Amino acid sequence: MVYRGKPSRACLECRAKRRKCDLARPSCRQCARAGSRCVGYRDQNSHAFRDQTVETLGKVQPFSDNSPPLIRGNQAVSIRSERYQQAGSKITVSLEDQALYFFSYHYLVNGPRRPPSYPDCLAIIYARATGHGYLAKLISAVGLVSLAYLRNAPTLTQAARQTYSWALRDVRAALADPAEAASDQMLVAVMVLVLYETVTSNSSNSLSPWDRHVDGALALVQLRGVGQLRNRIGRNIFLNLRTEVLINCLQRGVRVPITLINWMSEARHFETAEEAPAGNLADLIVNACAVLATVKEEATDKADLSRYMSTLLSIDQDFKCWTENLPTDYQYNTLTIPNDSGEMYLGRYDTYSGVEMVHIWNLQRCARITLHQALIDLLLLHFDMGFSQPAPLPSTDLLSTSNTVVREISRDICRSVPYIIHLCDKPGKPGDVRGACIMPLLWPLYIAGTAHTANDSLRDWVIARMNKIEKVTGIQRARFVALDIQQRCLFPD
């Protein structure tokens, strides 16, 4: 325990909502105006101490494959490190603290072991989630359900669901307060809702939990106004949201909501030079989604096929041009390793200037694979409709070219993985697998593993990575993606 200074005089409700309390007795008028119940004030004669159990555990008991479990069944257990055994001391850790530590280790990544250049806006907001507010409950729910899967403890799953239910109740109540609804914390809470659903996913086909949250998230963006783009934290939250919604639309082959497009345009006025390439890529994906949606809706007439194929090729050319005008920080190097143990795909891997660069590149790669697979579908439809017999040579060449592009880009995705999991930091020694860094890899690996050009070797490699992700982080989406790809190995199209 450490002393944290003189405690705040505000009522408990105002402190939880981070608003100025008028200190009225017996209950404050701020709570009355907000329609919430004032639960009173704490004893001013008390001292403010902070429990540093989590920090202590971080020093003596990091989560890794070699660490003894913190949970057995559904009971909190005593934890001893070698140094504590020598001192004859023992630490007992509650389930809540274990869940918090797990979440902090995997998703609060702006500490001393923070990956290079990782965007820290979410970590900053998580760090503000104190007490018993809705974001703190959501964080606890994610930690509990992750540990439940890792330790095979069904009762912990029930505890996580109950905590999640309480958090949803508190979110609904908080949305009645316009100031709270427009806060950074509320928008981040929506992202944590998606994280919880990704961890608990029971299907490989619903790869976008955003389906149920996009409208609500965009409504919050609208409520927050242009002020959210003027400071680094608010803008980074928006940029994270932008990426997630774009991925959702690209996965489903639907148009990007006009609300997001408008705010993307507004955000371009505030972006830094470092953010500009990602902004340009986002604009290209908006165009790609619009064309993919049109193709899905209308490409049944022979007269339209050639026009749509030309449009898809034009957009793909835009994606290729995007790679030719990138700053130095966006470049990457390809290296080879002799006697590869299997961790590197075909003994090769790429190194980048930062974790976020990997994810930006993989977003571009996924967009190109999606475009070329749509192009291949049109070409096959072209042949089925019998434009000419035999098929004209340009169409045959285009089919071969698209297959080659999909195959090469899928390999590029696989070569990006070792950098993310830090296998390249210390050759021969596997590094930490962190949930925050791994989450954006799930879809690119799924795209690579389910591409029609994927062979059994690539699929087996992707399955092995998914199994490791699920084993270390508890993310169930990885497990079901692995099962889906495994089915394709057994029963190829």
Side-chain angles (χ1 to χ4, degrees):
M1 297 288 185
V2 295
Y3 178 59
R4 301 296 293 177
K6 185 177 180 180
S8 168
R9 297 173 59 200
C11 74
L12 299 179
E13 184 71 11
C14 285
R15 284 194 290 113
K17 295 292 181 64
R18 295 185 176 276
R19 64 191 178 203
K20 186 174 181 180
C21 180
D22 63 9
L23 305 179
R25 304 282 179 163
S27 60
C28 84
R29 288 183 287 273
Q30 285 280 51
C31 290
R33 279 194 291 270
S36 56
R37 184 172 68 91
C38 184
V39 294
Y41 303 84
R42 62 183 170 190
D43 182 5
Q44 291 300 306
N45 293 322
S46 65
H47 295 283
F49 288 89
R50 180 178 178 183
D51 186 348
Q52 289 195 307
T53 301
V54 172
E55 289 87 342
T56 302
L57 284 176
K59 297 175 182 177
V60 302
Q61 179 70 33
F63 272 82
S64 69
D65 292 341
N66 298 322
S67 300
L70 290 178
I71 292 180
R72 294 186 179 91
N74 66 329
Q75 300 297 319
V77 298
S78 298
I79 303 169
R80 290 177 182 263
S81 71
E82 185 176 345
R83 80 178 74 167
Y84 275 85
Q85 287 177 350
Q86 292 173 354
S89 302
K90 183 167 67 173
I91 304 174
T92 300
V93 187
S94 69
L95 296 180
E96 291 77 11
D97 281 341
Q98 293 181 45
L100 175 60
Y101 177 60
F102 184 92
F103 187 95
S104 298
Y105 183 83
H106 279 282
Y107 301 103
L108 190 65
V109 290
N110 67 337
R113 287 169 292 188
R114 172 186 169 207
S117 304
Y118 190 87
D120 60 354
C121 66
L122 300 184
I124 291 171
I125 304 303
Y126 295 152
R128 296 176 182 171
T130 58
H132 301 285
Y134 56 84
L135 184 53
K137 287 187 176 72
L138 286 174
I139 287 172
S140 181
V142 171
L144 284 170
V145 80
S146 300
L147 290 172
Y149 289 124
L150 289 173
R151 311 304 180 201
N152 191 25
T155 50
L156 268 182
T157 305
Q158 183 59 36
R161 288 173 180 167
Q162 186 176 48
T163 303
Y164 184 73
S165 177
W166 290 337
L168 289 178
R169 178 201 62 193
D170 291 350
V171 166
R172 286 191 290 267
L175 286 171
D177 181 347
E180 185 65 24
S183 67
D184 292 345
Q185 181 170 277
M186 179 59 74
L187 191 53
V188 170
V190 176
M191 298 180 180
V192 182
L193 290 174
V194 177
L195 174 59
Y196 181 88
E197 293 179 10
T198 302
V199 172
T200 61
S201 174
N202 58 8
S203 169
S204 63
N205 294 322
S206 71
L207 287 176
S208 297
W210 275 111
D211 289 356
R212 293 189 294 276
H213 298 295
V214 166
D215 290 343
L218 294 180
L220 293 178
V221 168
Q222 194 80 0
L223 181 64
R224 284 161 62 81
V226 73
Q228 67 188 306
L229 304 174
R230 292 194 175 113
N231 66 81
R232 184 180 64 87
I233 294 177
R235 190 168 63 253
N236 281 350
I237 294 172
F238 172 79
L239 296 181
N240 275 270
L241 174 67
R242 179 188 69 183
T243 299
E244 295 294 340
V245 177
L246 290 177
I247 289 173
N248 175 272
C249 294
L250 199 54
Q251 286 175 324
R252 296 187 293 139
V254 300
R255 292 175 179 82
V256 177
I258 189 64
T259 300
L260 181 64
I261 294 175
N262 291 338
W263 280 107
M264 284 172 55
S265 177
E266 190 70 32
R268 299 305 301 269
H269 299 303
F270 300 93
E271 71 185 10
T272 65
E274 184 181 1
E275 295 165 350
N280 295 335
L281 178 62
D283 290 341
L284 293 179
I285 292 175
V286 169
N287 295 336
C289 288
V291 174
L292 289 169
T294 302
V295 169
K296 188 166 64 173
E297 295 164 359
E298 302 176 7
T300 56
D301 191 292
K302 291 182 181 181
D304 290 333
L305 289 181
S306 296
R307 176 165 57 89
Y308 287 137
M309 284 190 285
S310 296
T311 304
L312 290 171
L313 286 171
S314 176
I315 294 177
D316 184 61
Q317 184 61 36
D318 292 338
F319 280 112
K320 291 171 65 178
C321 290
W322 176 84
T323 68
E324 298 169 359
N325 299 289
L326 293 174
T328 305
D329 287 349
Y330 280 76
Q331 306 303 323
Y332 61 90
N333 298 310
T334 298
L335 305 174
T336 59
I337 286 187
N339 302 320
D340 176 33
S341 63
E343 293 289 355
M344 315 292 177
Y345 181 66
L346 299 180
R348 299 177 64 183
Y349 66 93
D350 296 331
T351 60
Y352 297 77
S353 63
V355 171
E356 77 278 10
M357 297 302 175
V358 184
H359 300 320
I360 292 172
W361 270 100
N362 280 341
L363 181 58
Q364 185 260 10
R365 291 162 181 155
C366 288
R368 290 196 67 198
I369 289 177
T370 303
L371 284 174
H372 277 278
Q373 295 206 136
L375 183 60
I376 290 168
D377 289 341
L378 288 180
L379 285 167
L380 295 177
L381 183 60
H382 171 101
F383 298 150
D384 289 344
M385 286 184 173
F387 268 77
S388 59
Q389 294 295 335
L393 184 59
S395 296
T396 305
D397 288 345
L398 185 56
L399 183 61
S400 176
T401 299
S402 288
N403 282 329
T404 299
V405 169
V406 172
R407 188 179 301 109
E408 290 179 350
I409 295 177
S410 297
R411 291 172 180 171
D412 288 339
I413 290 173
C414 294
R415 290 169 187 153
S416 74
V417 174
Y419 179 84
I420 290 293
I421 59 178
H422 301 280
L423 287 172
C424 305
D425 288 353
K426 297 179 180 178
K429 295 182 180 180
D432 294 334
V433 176
R434 299 297 186 89
C437 301
I438 287 297
M439 285 282 292
L441 279 180
L442 295 180
W443 185 51
L445 282 174
Y446 178 81
I447 288 287
T450 57
H452 68 281
T453 59
N455 55 27
D456 285 350
S457 173
L458 186 145
R459 288 172 176 167
D460 288 343
W461 190 88
V462 172
I463 288 170
R465 304 289 79 69
M466 288 293 177
N467 288 337
K468 179 172 183 177
I469 291 170
E470 190 266 336
K471 177 182 178 182
V472 176
T473 67
I475 297 173
Q476 296 302 287
R477 177 68 49 77
R479 173 172 170 253
F480 283 98
V481 166
L483 290 174
D484 190 334
I485 298 174
Q486 193 169 36
Q487 285 293 108
R488 293 172 186 262
C489 287
L490 296 174
F491 307 103
D493 295 336

